[in-house]
Amino acid sequence: MATTSACCYRPLSAPPLHRRRGPPPPQVAAAAATGGGQSVKAATDAEFFQTSDTRPIMLFDGVCNLCNGGVRFVQEHDPNRSIRYIPLQSESGRKLLQRSGRAPDDISSVVLVEKDRSYIKSEAVLRIMGYLNLPFPQLATFLNFVPLFLRDFAYDNVADNRYAVFGRSESESCEIL
């Protein structure tokens, strides 16, 4: 699916937003690495995107039952195995979060990391739907007509209540293929 949202691009002089795509500027990466008292080295393209495997990576909350169910759903509807899966809490997940311009301990959103850019919240969900079997790419195209602020409002409401409604597991329970 090749649609992108033009509303998320900002001039380089503007402060970074949560919609930042691609690797963060050095000052943001340095600030994110020192957050929480632990230093996490940002991932490099060579670490996760080799010429033999450029599939995007879905970062998900590994202890969230809803998120684990979502990963299983994506696995079942992605027979070509066009997406890889990494829990946000893993070392690799933390590195990829930082590469995406987010704090390494931020587990508030699903993140889809592609070689050139990263997507969060409803944009990540719609991009993931584009990789699945029919009818999900068509549904994603239709949902792209809904304004981003409404999609993210719905996403945030579900994300904020995911543990209360769906529970959480004691460990990262999703089997990653």
Side-chain angles (χ1 to χ4, degrees), residues 35-164:
Q38 291 182 329
S39 178
V40 176
K41 183 181 169 212
T44 61
D45 284 347
E47 228 176 315
F48 293 98
F49 296 100
Q50 294 83 29
T51 54
S52 62
D53 190 2
T54 59
R55 296 175 298 160
I57 301 169
M58 176 181 170
L59 301 178
F60 66 98
D61 183 351
V63 298
C64 167
N65 290 336
L66 173 64
C67 305
N68 287 323
V71 169
R72 283 189 287 277
F73 179 86
V74 170
Q75 287 174 334
E76 290 170 12
H77 293 87
D78 180 20
N80 298 327
R81 294 182 175 231
S82 53
I83 299 176
R84 295 178 281 170
Y85 313 90
I86 297 178
L88 289 163
Q89 293 89 346
S90 69
E91 185 64 29
S92 296
R94 293 168 55 85
K95 287 180 178 181
L96 285 166
L97 271 174
Q98 190 169 353
R99 176 188 180 269
S100 300
R102 302 189 54 90
D105 57 350
D106 182 3
I107 60 168
S108 65
S109 173
V110 66
V111 180
L112 183 69
V113 181
E114 294 180 342
K115 185 172 174 73
D116 308 5
R117 36 173 82 160
S118 298
Y119 301 90
I120 63 169
K121 297 186 180 188
S122 66
E123 285 185 323
V125 172
L126 294 182
R127 290 291 294 195
I128 290 166
M129 289 172 69
Y131 288 99
L132 304 182
N133 282 343
L134 294 175
F136 297 105
Q138 289 75 13
L139 180 59
T141 301
F142 174 74
L143 290 173
N144 264 318
F145 289 108
V146 176
L148 179 64
F149 77 93
L150 289 176
R151 292 191 327 243
D152 280 351
F153 177 77
Y155 181 94
D156 288 336
N157 280 313
V158 171
D160 291 344
N161 296 298
R162 68 186 187 264
Y163 294 138

Side-chain angles (χ1 to χ4, degrees), residues 18-34:
H18 72 283
R19 294 264 172 228
R20 179 159 186 77
R21 300 182 197 276
Q27 65 273 21
V28 173
T34 59

